[in-house]
Every structure is written in structure tokens, then in C-alpha cells.
Amino acid sequence: MDPSMITPDMMAQAQKMMANMSPDQMAQMQRMAANMGGGNMPYMPPGAAEQMKNMKPEDFARASEELGQMDPETLKSQMNNFKNQNQAQRDYALRGAEQLKTDGNKLVGEGKYNEAIEKYMRVKNNLADDPAPGAKTLRQSCQLNMSLCFNKTKRYNSAISECTEVLKQDGKALKAYYRRGQAHAAKEDWQSAVADLRRAVKLAPGDETVKGELDKAVVDLQSAGLTDERTGRARSLRSPRRRRRECRLPRARFPTATRWRRRWR
């Protein structure tokens, strides 16, 4: 909650709530902070949830007593301090994550995919609890880069997992469909590959690279004799003329009369 939106009445309510808490209620509040990160807790100062996770009962009792003695302006100032400190920590983590991504991209350019995965995974973990749009975008970008590296190192299930996680957050992530489709194709799951690559083509109809991957997957799907989910039937790549020719019985070869005569002379 933005401290500028907090009224004196809200301050008084928060003070009263904290001052009247029993030890069991304080312990429950600590568990809530650990499970929810403070996002759904009323009047929770930004960043306070992280501090509450490791507090002991006596720490809660002391904090409750101090809170009860604060006037609304002092409490509001404290919340502003919490917010500024928390924002500084997030900015620091974001700058570090951007550098890790840069390092990972360089490693990908050098073909060091496993080392790059380690960099990207650190970004994913470090920004896991940051709800800021910039942090989410950076995290998803690194997950997509990881999926590329997983495909390069033939860890296709991991690539699929990362792309699926991204798609849960952004259902129009082109690279997620494209790289998940590539992973399915590498596993010879042609139907899933075609489905994902068709979604990618729909998102980028003018991208020849994506269309080329789809065309190859359709060819493999048809060669395997599997059902195309879009058309609802299996299609053969062979031309009708070739299919007719293959259905003809081989012509019987009988010796000519001359050969029969020569054979019995």
C-alpha cells in the first residue's frame, strides 16, 4: 500500500490491532507474512513481511509495544522509510539481474549453454518475489533464453517447463510457443509441436523462420501418419498418382514363347 494513501483513522486502526494482539495472534501474523509476503495483510508496510518471517515472539511483543506508542505521523514516516528501503533493495536486485542476463547472453554467443543457464536461473530466482512489471519482464526474458539453452543441450523437458511457465503469465509470448514447439518436435511429439508452432505463426505471420519450423513439423506429422488436429485427419505426403501407382499389383513376368523353345532345345 502506498503510504500517501493512509489516513489517520487507518493508522489508529493498525496501532490498535497490533497493540491488542495476543502471542498466538502474533505468531499467526508471522505465518501469514511468510506465506503471502504481506500482500494481503492490512496496512502492512512495504518490506515488513520479509522482516517478520524471522522475528521471534519477544520481537513481536516489543514491536507491538513500540507501535502502540507511536503517533500517526511517526507511523506514517516509518512506513515511508520501509517503502524507500524496500525499493532500494529491489532496484539493487534488478540491476544485478540485468548484469546476469548480459553475462548469460554473452555465454550463449560463445556456445557455453550450461554456464548461461546458471546465470539465467539466478535471475529467475532473485526476481521471483518482485511484482514490479520490469522485474517480471526481465524474469520471463531469462526463462525464454533458458529454454533456448535447454533445447541446445537436449534438455527438452526443461525447455517445455520454462516456456509453459511463461505462457501462464503471458499467453501471447511468441518465443515461448516457438521454443516449446521446437522441444516437442525434438521429442517427436509432432502433434504438440504443430499445435505450438501454429500458434507462433499466428502471432508472427510474416516470420519465415517460424513458418519454416511449422512446415517441417507438419511434414514429420504426416510422415508419421498421425492425425492433424486442425484438419481432424491424417494426410499422406505422397501424391495421388504415386499412391495409385503403389497400389497396382506388380506385373507378372512370363517367359516368351521363344524363350520356352530355347529352354527345351
Side-chain angles (χ1 to χ4, degrees):
M1 176 179 290
D2 187 346
S4 63
M5 299 175 62
I6 299 175
T7 66
D9 288 341
M10 293 168 64
M11 291 289 188
Q13 185 178 348
Q15 286 177 307
K16 184 177 179 180
M17 180 182 68
M18 290 289 292
N20 295 329
M21 276 187 174
S22 66
D24 289 340
Q25 290 173 325
M26 290 181 182
Q28 183 181 6
M29 189 174 182
Q30 186 177 24
R31 289 192 297 270
M32 290 173 64
N35 293 332
M36 299 187 296
N40 295 326
M41 299 179 68
Y43 320 132
M44 175 64 67
E50 289 298 321
Q51 298 186 19
M52 289 176 64
K53 291 180 182 180
N54 300 317
M55 288 178 69
K56 299 178 181 179
E58 53 269 26
D59 296 328
F60 269 98
R62 184 172 60 254
S64 178
E65 182 179 356
E66 292 175 356
L67 183 62
Q69 297 173 357
M70 285 185 187
D71 59 84
E73 286 302 319
T74 302
L75 182 57
K76 188 172 182 178
S77 176
Q78 289 289 336
M79 292 189 72
N80 273 312
N81 291 338
F82 269 120
K83 180 182 179 181
N84 293 336
Q85 181 182 4
N86 182 252
Q87 188 61 50
Q89 291 172 348
R90 287 181 177 177
D91 290 344
Y92 178 80
L94 189 62
R95 289 194 298 271
E98 289 170 347
Q99 184 59 51
L100 285 170
K101 180 187 176 183
T102 299
D103 294 342
N105 292 350
K106 182 179 179 181
L107 290 167
V108 169
E110 297 171 355
K112 299 177 181 178
Y113 301 113
N114 288 319
E115 291 89 337
I117 289 171
E118 188 271 334
K119 301 289 185 183
Y120 296 139
M121 186 64 73
R122 286 173 61 186
V123 174
K124 177 184 175 181
N125 294 335
N126 291 347
L127 300 181
D129 297 325
D130 193 335
K136 287 184 177 181
T137 299
L138 181 57
R139 188 170 184 267
Q140 289 179 5
S141 176
C142 287
Q143 286 185 267
L144 292 173
N145 289 357
M146 267 198 293
S147 69
L148 180 148
C149 295
F150 283 135
N151 279 340
K152 291 289 187 180
T153 55
K154 299 183 179 181
R155 296 158 66 181
Y156 304 118
N157 287 335
S158 295
I160 292 170
S161 177
E162 294 299 330
C163 291
T164 301
E165 187 174 337
V166 169
L167 288 169
K168 288 179 180 178
Q169 303 294 325
D170 179 6
K172 295 184 178 180
L174 167 63
K175 288 183 180 180
Y177 283 122
Y178 177 67
R179 288 174 183 161
R180 191 171 72 173
Q182 288 181 311
H184 283 309
K187 294 179 63 179
E188 299 186 0
D189 183 356
W190 307 121
Q191 289 174 317
S192 296
V194 168
D196 275 344
L197 291 169
R198 277 203 177 118
R199 293 188 187 101
V201 168
K202 188 175 181 179
L203 290 168
D207 193 317
E208 292 299 324
T209 300
V210 176
K211 187 177 183 299
E213 288 290 328
L214 173 60
D215 290 343
K216 287 192 295 184
V218 170
V219 168
D220 290 325
L221 174 74
Q222 294 171 352
S223 297
L226 298 174
T227 301
D228 189 327
E229 293 182 354
R230 188 178 70 174
T231 62
R233 64 181 185 275
R235 297 187 298 173
S236 173
L237 287 178
R238 296 171 296 177
S239 66
R241 179 181 297 177
R242 181 179 175 184
R243 288 201 300 272
R244 288 196 299 270
R245 186 168 62 248
E246 290 178 349
C247 289
R248 295 174 183 166
L249 293 174
R251 181 181 298 175
R253 298 178 62 92
F254 295 102
T256 62
T258 303
R259 289 175 182 171
W260 278 107
R261 288 194 296 271
R262 288 175 181 175
R263 183 175 297 179
W264 293 103
R265 284 179 181 176

